[in-house]
Amino acid sequence: MKNYEVRHIFMAIGLGILVISPFLLLPLPTFVATNIHDPQGWVVILPGKAYLLYAFGFLFLSASALILFVLNLSKAAKIGSIASLLFSAFFFVSAIQIYTSLSGESISFRESLWSDRHSYAWEEVEKVHFNLAADGFPKYEFYFKDGNELTFSENGHIRMWRTAIEGELKKHEIEFEKKYN
């Protein structure tokens, strides 16, 4: 019972992270991605995979504190807690690297921590398909001159930029096709 009070501090920290993390999962990933990748751009888009990685990061962060509580600050608890912190850091770093950024000058994206960052000027876009019949939200399909492709859904936040996107496509005389099938 020597570490009784200290154990409970870690329990409170672990439970506090579990309680607050669902509220942070909505604004935090977008805030971080916007400030890191393109603060001057129109919009930074995160796929659902990024939010899932953030959720795992918070889960392992909480587990790190709860391990110390459950195993009573033992040596094994400290090792487990450090391992859990490292897993948490890995998930957060992975989540930060997945994004798509649109601006008046370029389109940038990265699909995972292990893939390269791609950045294209609007002149490098070969054609764009806008699929209105897609399940759920309409989808943009960008095809670049080097053979690379980018697909993302048009949610309410991106819909606000539809006019700007279509304006850049017209300005650079890029083939734009609306598909209804």
Side-chain angles (χ1 to χ4, degrees), residues 59-120:
L59 186 64
F60 277 101
L61 188 61
S62 176
S64 175
L66 291 174
I67 288 170
L68 291 170
F69 166 71
V70 170
L71 298 179
N72 197 19
L73 302 172
S74 66
K75 185 176 182 178
K78 292 173 185 172
I79 292 169
S81 179
I82 290 170
S84 187
L85 277 175
L86 291 174
F87 278 122
S88 176
F90 172 76
F91 282 115
F92 285 131
V93 168
S94 294
I96 289 169
Q97 299 303 317
I98 303 170
Y99 72 96
T100 299
S101 171
L102 300 174
S103 73
E105 292 78 39
S106 66
I107 301 163
S108 303
F109 64 95
R110 189 167 184 181
E111 296 170 340
S112 75
L113 176 65
W114 314 112
S115 68
D116 292 332
R117 177 182 183 269
H118 301 281
S119 186
Y120 296 96

Side-chain angles (χ1 to χ4, degrees), residues 5-161:
E5 294 80 17
V6 175
R7 278 182 64 212
H8 286 83
I9 291 172
F10 285 109
M11 177 192 68
I13 291 170
L15 293 177
I17 292 169
L18 276 179
V19 168
I20 198 166
S21 62
F23 299 105
L24 292 175
L25 276 176
L26 291 176
L28 186 67
T30 303
F31 175 79
V32 170
T34 300
N35 287 306
I36 288 178
H37 299 297
D38 198 0
Q40 305 303 319
W42 295 336
V43 64
V44 175
I45 307 158
L46 299 178
K49 179 180 174 184
Y51 290 95
L52 184 63
L53 290 170
Y54 267 97
F56 280 125
F58 281 122
L59 186 64
F60 277 101
L61 188 61
S62 176
S64 175
L66 291 174
I67 288 170
L68 291 170
F69 166 71
V70 170
L71 298 179
N72 197 19
L73 302 172
S74 66
K75 185 176 182 178
K78 292 173 185 172
I79 292 169
S81 179
I82 290 170
S84 187
L85 277 175
L86 291 174
F87 278 122
S88 176
F90 172 76
F91 282 115
F92 285 131
V93 168
S94 294
I96 289 169
Q97 299 303 317
I98 303 170
Y99 72 96
T100 299
S101 171
L102 300 174
S103 73
E105 292 78 39
S106 66
I107 301 163
S108 303
F109 64 95
R110 189 167 184 181
E111 296 170 340
S112 75
L113 176 65
W114 314 112
S115 68
D116 292 332
R117 177 182 183 269
H118 301 281
S119 186
Y120 296 96
W122 284 96
E123 296 85 16
E124 297 176 80
V125 177
E126 184 177 339
K127 63 183 173 181
V128 176
H129 292 164
F130 185 59
N131 190 349
L132 292 161
D135 292 340
F137 295 112
K139 292 191 184 305
Y140 282 98
E141 299 165 356
F142 281 76
Y143 298 91
F144 300 99
K145 291 179 180 174
D146 68 355
N148 230 344
E149 297 176 17
L150 170 66
T151 301
F152 59 89
S153 297
E154 181 192 63
N155 60 21
H157 188 65
I158 298 165
R159 187 174 300 129
M160 297 183 325
W161 294 101

